[in-house]
Amino acid sequence: MPRLAVTALAALAVLASSAPLAAQDTTAVRIGIRYDPSQRPGVLVLPIAGVVGDSLRIIIQRDLDYGDRVVVITPDAALAATLAAGGSINYPLLAKLGASRVVQGTMTPRGLHVALHDVAKAQVTDVAEFPLPIAQNTRDWRAAVHGVSDQVEAWISGTQGIARTRVAFIRGSVVRMIDSDGEDDQAIPMLGEAMSPAWSPSGAQLLYTTFGVNSRVVLHDLTTGRARAFGQASNTTNLTATFSPDGSSIVWAAAGENGSDLFLMPVSLDAPARRITVGRGTDNVQPTFSPDGRRLAFMSSRAGHPEIYIMDADGTNTDLLTVSDFGDQNYRSSPEWSPDDRQVAFQSRISGKFQVLVIGLRDRTSKLLTSDGENKDPSWSPDGRHLVFTSNRSGTSQLWILDTETGRTRQLTHTAGSRLASWSPRLKP
Amino acid sequence: MSTRVARRALLSLALAVSATIGGCVASKGDIRLLQDELRSMQAVSARADTVRRAQADSALRALSVAQDSMRALSARFGNFQAATSGELYDMARQLLTIQEQTGLSQRRLQELRATLEEKAPPGVTATPPMPGDSTKPAGPGPAQLFQVSVDQMRRGSFGVARSGFDELLTRFPRFEDAPAAQLYVGQAYAEEKNATAADSVYLLVVQRYATSAEAPKALYKYALSQLAQKKPDLAKQVLQRVIREYPRSDEADLARARLGTIK
Amino acid sequence: MIVNRRATAFALLALSVGVLDACHKKPKVAPAPVTVATTDTMGERRRLDSLEAARRMADENARRRAVDDSLRRANEATSASAALRAALTAVVYFEYDQDVLNGDAKAALDAKLPILIANPGLSIRITGHTDERGADEYNVALGQKRASAVKRYLAERGIAESRLETVSMGEERPANAGHDEASWSQNRRAEFEITAGANLVLKARQ
């Protein structure tokens, strides 16, 4: 019940603010595909009967809206009630409202039964029953509902949604997690002052590093709550750990007496760490794997200032990725390889402020994605379409989400000091 | 029951208020809306309490009927479903095609470059034919062949990539990136889990292009391959050779670090 | 009270002296050692007591002077030690995105050297900090580099590396919370903390 109330409040705020739908953030012209919002299918979620029906409907509507692949149509309650009066769907009226798809949810003893209607064809096209935990409005229950939304999005667009994901981030030197819709901002127990959370490919573990005295890399198991730490050595600061895409190894930066280099360690922690960069006294941090695990992008100061490089995962064939004459102060950092293997998101200083950009891996041309305030530390959504990043555009450091296709942005966190986000993979039921 | 509802409502109000304070976003209007929500929820659950059992029974019956009809519907319109989702997939495919075309236009450029390489006199081309290239080549030039093969490599088409690099090496043996092409052939074999072939190609790089930047890379990759094949003694020897023969290369530095981790 | 007692003592002293003088003229035979206390023996004891008291007073004064002296000397040493401590923990500053030690930084480190050399029981922790402008994560690496640059400078001048621990806090602990160059320049720094020998009275090699 309390959760429902909070959800309702959040939903009201969202519905009020989402009226001007396409808040453009992009200033650079994007080459390639650009979704015309008017061509996104209109989707209407019918009222769902039952005590939690409204919660279900609000969550599914919001998830579909946040997915940015459809336009969610929200008629007023009186009108909505007439759309499926007497058990029959009023397709002509739905068509008039601009809906091409209709989501019909029905509570069952086991969970939620969902039917997707094609309005033009006046037919049901997809049906499935989704089990829901008995305890309503719990974390697991909401995750299960997000799973429903993601499947509906797959039926409509052919791509599974990203509602059932979380974003790990830092606030006050503590790793926290927040659901993709901004719900359930919670901390995990820390072994020291933390930075740079990163998800395991399974979504079951989080990596982070601690700084200051006794700096370590910590592997936190979200299922058991247990943590394993490694990398502790005198005069050494460990930072920016990441998993290889197959989950078998961890690559991170160890900063010691002679600059910082990237090291690789099997996730079993049963073999010595191997150095894989040749920093020669410079700093080499922020590794990010290509989706196939064969290459790594990272930030290096080897040229005298921070730039982004690419190398083979074994440490050979290092090559400059970012174009040196882009931006005003020769400072590019925080690379994040896109899940579709086409580009790398990063930050570059432009007119004194960091902005988020992407650079094509093939053509090596950069595109500016942000311009409002200072924006940094991007992380890709598992669908490779959205980026979560840190922005001070609201006056405080908050996490924001950008749809790179439409330029639409939304604020994810509402507590100051949120930063260093890492978007989870799609989480399993 | 009613006290429980009231307690829940209070709790939710407190939570909502704290969320409001934490979020600093909700206006008084939002709070009023929330209060309205809570009141209506309270009323609804109170009412629901009395009629719940009756409702639940009838709802369950209705639901099972609805489910059955849904299943029937879904079965009956299974082929329609296929048709509509087919439409979606067509759209998705079209989008993919457009995506591919942007890639293709890049390739078109390279083809143009290759055409230039063919037709223009030496000196004008991006990569002029080498003295060793006796016959005027037909087809793509070395730069294009190289790029296309690298792309295949990136896409995971190792067989295609390998034949591209092989063709490049046969037709343009003196192309400036020939050592890199040869190294890629070895890497392609390695990706295809053909360690024996990969190893021999790595050694070929060292033998053919001993003074190129690719030689220490090939030698280092050869050493790692030996390690993966559980031949630590041979791996050690090769790593020492990298250090000895290419002392200033990045791979020598990696080799030194790596030697320390082998038992 | 003390004054009263002293006055009484002086009165007794005067009286006893008078009594002794009076007795002096008598032959000194048979002072009768075993007899009960007479006025005469009483006077003698008083005399000795008073002499003892006088001597004690003199000793007390001397001791008091000695204590004062040593306290003064100790105070001087402590304030010297405090000054040395301040020099040892004086902050060193850096340029933007640099871990190079400039002239001021080297001078501050040179002032630490004689203290570290003269007090082998001292160990210090060097903590590198950055301003807020770079990438949060890279700044942790930069802070570590700054701490390492300081350590290298001291180690090259004879301080055992085992006495010099390096740590980085990146941009997480600004000395000045402002967002301008004046603040940033105070935040790009290395700080010093005594980790062993904190209760030593510090000396400096001359």
Side-chain angles (χ1 to χ4, degrees):
Chain A
M1 279 292 191
R3 289 289 183 196
L4 175 61
V6 177
T7 309
L9 175 64
L12 288 167
V14 164
L15 291 177
S17 66
S18 64
L21 211 63
Q24 287 289 318
D25 193 76
T26 314
T27 53
V29 178
R30 274 186 66 85
I31 309 160
I33 306 154
R34 192 179 174 109
Y35 279 76
D36 180 348
S38 66
Q39 293 196 347
R40 289 184 291 163
V43 175
L44 191 148
V45 183
L46 289 172
I48 301 168
V51 182
V52 290
D54 287 342
S55 294
L56 285 167
R57 183 165 177 246
I58 282 166
I59 294 172
I60 294 170
Q61 280 178 335
R62 193 170 46 186
D63 288 348
L64 293 175
D65 178 42
Y66 287 170
D68 291 309
R69 285 189 166 82
V70 303
V71 174
V72 178
I73 297 158
T74 50
D76 63 57
L79 182 56
T82 66
L83 293 171
S88 67
I89 306 287
N90 189 341
Y91 292 115
L93 181 53
L94 284 162
K96 264 186 203 148
L97 289 170
S100 63
R101 297 304 191 99
V102 170
V103 179
Q104 184 181 29
T106 315
M107 289 300 295
T108 70
R110 288 163 297 277
L112 181 67
H113 183 276
V114 178
L116 181 68
H117 298 253
D118 184 315
V119 173
K121 294 183 172 157
Q123 286 167 4
V124 171
T125 54
D126 301 271
V127 283
E129 188 179 38
F130 300 89
L132 293 180
I134 312 249
Q136 291 155 4
N137 289 307
T138 57
R139 182 178 304 156
D140 288 346
W141 185 86
R142 271 180 290 108
V145 180
H146 291 320
V148 175
S149 309
D150 289 346
Q151 183 56 49
V152 169
E153 202 169 317
W155 286 340
I156 297 170
S157 71
T159 304
Q160 205 190 355
I162 49 161
R164 192 178 185 141
T165 57
R166 290 198 174 107
V167 172
F169 65 102
I170 294 290
R171 187 164 68 232
S173 297
V174 169
V175 176
R176 307 183 68 90
M177 292 189 296
I178 190 167
D179 289 359
S180 70
D181 60 355
E183 288 284 312
D184 201 14
D185 179 341
Q186 50 154 333
I188 66 170
M190 288 290 97
L191 304 180
E193 291 185 277
M195 264 201 168
S196 319
W199 293 86
S200 68
S202 68
Q205 293 173 309
L206 274 178
L207 272 176
Y208 64 88
T209 52
T210 68
F211 61 91
V213 181
N214 295 338
S215 167
R216 289 176 284 187
V217 183
V218 183
L219 186 53
H220 180 94
D221 192 309
L222 291 166
T223 320
T224 64
R226 280 200 205 103
R228 287 188 293 161
F230 65 95
Q232 188 178 343
S234 54
N235 308 309
T236 303
T237 294
N238 296 289
L239 54 153
T240 60
T242 191
F243 274 98
S244 62
D246 65 358
S248 68
S249 347
I250 294 164
V251 169
W252 83 102
E257 303 282 275
N258 195 23
S260 50
D261 271 300
L262 297 182
F263 289 78
L264 183 143
M265 173 85 108
V267 78
S268 53
L269 311 183
D270 61 359
R274 290 181 227 152
R275 178 158 61 81
I276 55 169
T277 53
V278 184
R280 301 189 195 278
T282 63
D283 282 317
N284 298 270
V285 298
Q286 300 177 323
T288 172
F289 271 96
S290 64
D292 63 11
R294 292 190 181 94
R295 290 188 292 163
L296 280 162
F298 61 103
M299 190 229 90
S300 174
S301 65
R302 60 187 62 191
H305 59 267
E307 286 289 352
I308 295 162
Y309 294 77
I310 285 186
M311 66 175 183
D312 288 358
D314 64 10
T316 62
N317 284 324
T318 307
D319 197 11
L320 178 67
L321 173 69
T322 39
V323 186
S324 288
D325 57 9
F326 194 92
D328 56 1
Q329 281 188 49
N330 288 330
Y331 199 124
R332 275 153 290 277
S333 67
S334 312
E336 276 281 317
W337 207 301
S338 74
D340 64 6
D341 204 16
R342 301 176 83 87
Q343 48 196 3
V344 171
F346 65 102
Q347 69 191 46
S348 181
R349 194 175 274 144
I350 293 160
S351 306
K353 286 176 178 168
F354 280 125
Q355 298 298 346
V356 175
L357 298 92
V358 287
I359 182 165
L361 282 158
R362 209 167 181 290
D363 57 13
R364 308 244 161 156
T365 56
S366 300
K367 292 167 208 156
L368 181 63
L369 296 182
T370 59
S371 56
D372 189 1
E374 184 163 61
N375 304 282
K376 52 187 189 176
D377 295 309
S379 173
W380 289 101
S381 63
D383 67 355
R385 174 173 166 151
H386 297 84
L387 283 169
V388 61
F389 56 96
T390 310
S391 179
N392 67 359
R393 62 183 67 186
S394 65
T396 56
S397 178
Q398 301 284 359
L399 301 185
W400 289 72
I401 287 173
L402 166 74
D403 173 21
T404 60
E405 298 291 343
T406 63
R408 190 180 165 207
T409 57
R410 66 179 168 99
Q411 190 171 344
L412 179 66
T413 60
H414 290 90
T415 306
S418 305
R419 61 187 177 133
L420 293 168
S422 171
W423 206 318
S424 79
R426 289 189 177 92
L427 298 172
K428 290 172 188 77
Chain B
M1 195 60 189
S2 63
T3 51
R4 228 176 96 195
V5 169
R7 208 180 306 139
R8 278 185 182 183
L10 261 174
L11 231 173
S12 57
L13 186 62
L15 239 170
V17 167
S18 66
T20 310
I21 293 161
C24 299
V25 282
S27 64
K28 276 182 185 167
D30 288 331
I31 292 168
R32 190 182 49 75
L33 277 172
L34 175 70
Q35 284 168 336
D36 291 347
E37 283 270 319
L38 286 169
R39 271 188 220 109
S40 67
M41 274 160 52
Q42 251 175 289
V44 164
S45 17
R47 271 200 306 278
D49 228 25
T50 59
V51 289
R52 183 167 295 150
R53 192 170 298 274
Q55 263 187 350
D57 288 348
S58 69
L60 277 179
R61 276 196 299 277
L63 280 179
S64 56
V65 170
Q67 262 171 44
D68 289 348
S69 66
M70 289 289 185
R71 286 205 189 89
L73 264 174
S74 97
R76 207 181 307 156
F77 296 115
N79 46 348
F80 286 104
Q81 180 185 340
T84 43
S85 54
E87 234 175 52
L88 273 169
Y89 291 144
D90 277 350
M91 267 176 60
R93 218 173 294 133
Q94 274 174 21
L95 290 176
L96 274 176
T97 313
I98 297 166
Q99 267 175 321
E100 281 305 312
Q101 273 169 355
T102 52
L104 275 178
S105 62
Q106 190 85 15
R107 200 177 297 169
R108 185 74 40 80
L109 275 174
Q110 285 167 328
E111 275 170 16
L112 283 171
R113 193 177 160 202
T115 316
L116 271 174
E117 280 173 338
E118 263 178 72
K119 291 180 180 165
V124 178
T125 55
T127 44
M130 299 295 159
D133 304 331
S134 52
T135 55
K136 207 177 201 182
Q144 197 223 336
L145 254 179
F146 186 78
Q147 190 53 49
V148 168
S149 306
V150 169
D151 288 346
Q152 292 305 319
M153 198 76 190
R154 298 276 174 259
R155 283 179 193 158
S157 310
F158 303 111
V160 181
R162 203 156 38 76
S163 51
F165 289 122
D166 277 338
E167 195 186 343
L168 169 67
L169 289 163
T170 313
R171 285 169 48 196
F172 309 99
R174 306 207 176 185
F175 174 55
E176 55 181 350
D177 283 335
Q182 190 72 73
L183 181 59
Y184 272 125
V185 173
Q187 285 181 256
Y189 275 125
E191 294 290 355
E192 292 171 313
K193 308 285 173 215
N194 188 344
T196 317
D199 288 355
S200 64
V201 175
Y202 290 150
L203 292 177
L204 193 65
V205 173
V206 183
Q207 189 195 323
R208 272 196 194 161
Y209 313 101
T211 57
S212 71
E214 273 67 27
K217 292 179 194 172
L219 210 50
Y220 185 70
K221 281 179 190 286
Y222 178 71
L224 295 189
S225 173
Q226 302 319 303
L227 270 179
Q229 294 169 56
K230 311 271 180 225
K231 296 182 204 164
D233 293 337
L234 181 52
K236 271 190 203 171
Q237 284 174 31
V238 178
L239 290 172
Q240 277 151 358
R241 189 178 156 198
V242 175
I243 297 165
R244 196 172 57 245
E245 293 182 17
Y246 304 94
R248 262 175 240 127
S249 67
D250 280 1
E251 288 71 27
D253 187 75
L254 289 172
R256 272 187 285 270
R258 200 58 208 270
L259 273 172
T261 67
I262 305 170
K263 287 183 193 91
Chain C
M1 245 343 225
I2 291 168
V3 176
N4 281 348
R5 220 179 268 163
R6 276 192 187 161
T8 318
F10 271 112
L12 280 171
L13 188 68
L15 182 68
S16 62
V17 166
V19 171
L20 281 172
D21 279 348
C23 295
H24 219 65
K25 287 158 192 168
K26 278 194 175 174
K28 267 188 182 175
V29 240
V34 228
T35 54
V36 234
T38 61
T39 319
D40 274 3
T41 55
M42 291 274 286
E44 174 66 7
R45 192 177 292 166
R46 283 198 197 98
R47 189 181 67 88
L48 289 173
D49 280 356
S50 66
L51 282 174
E52 175 66 18
R55 199 174 64 245
R56 266 200 217 122
M57 276 169 69
D59 283 357
E60 180 69 17
N61 286 338
R63 195 164 56 242
R64 214 171 274 155
R65 269 198 306 279
V67 166
D68 285 350
D69 276 2
S70 78
L71 272 176
R72 189 168 39 77
R73 278 197 301 276
N75 276 334
E76 278 166 12
T78 309
S79 64
S81 178
L84 294 177
R85 198 172 299 261
L88 188 62
T89 55
V91 177
V92 165
Y93 297 95
F94 294 84
E95 307 295 328
Y96 169 69
D97 198 21
Q98 290 296 324
D99 62 330
V100 178
L101 299 167
N102 62 21
D104 288 348
K106 285 179 180 168
L109 293 179
D110 287 341
K112 301 179 200 297
L113 277 169
I115 308 165
L116 286 164
I117 292 168
N119 301 277
L122 266 185
S123 290
I124 57 171
R125 179 182 298 138
I126 308 157
T127 305
H129 298 264
T130 73
D131 66 29
E132 63 181 355
R133 282 181 296 171
D136 301 8
E137 296 164 330
Y138 168 64
N139 276 341
V140 183
L142 181 58
Q144 183 68 37
K145 259 178 111 162
R146 285 177 176 164
S148 296
V150 168
K151 175 173 175 171
R152 206 174 309 122
Y153 186 88
L154 296 174
E156 279 165 4
R157 282 153 187 79
I159 311 302
E161 294 201 10
S162 57
R163 296 170 60 198
L164 307 167
E165 180 193 357
T166 56
V167 155
S168 172
M169 296 301 271
E171 64 176 79
E172 309 297 319
R173 297 283 185 282
N176 186 322
H179 305 290
D180 50 17
E181 177 50 36
S183 315
W184 293 330
S185 63
Q186 291 174 35
N187 293 337
R188 297 187 297 261
R189 69 201 194 277
E191 287 182 349
F192 301 82
E193 193 184 334
I194 299 173
T195 50
N199 48 5
L200 288 177
V201 174
L202 299 185
K203 306 180 286 254
R205 193 187 61 168
Q206 297 307 309

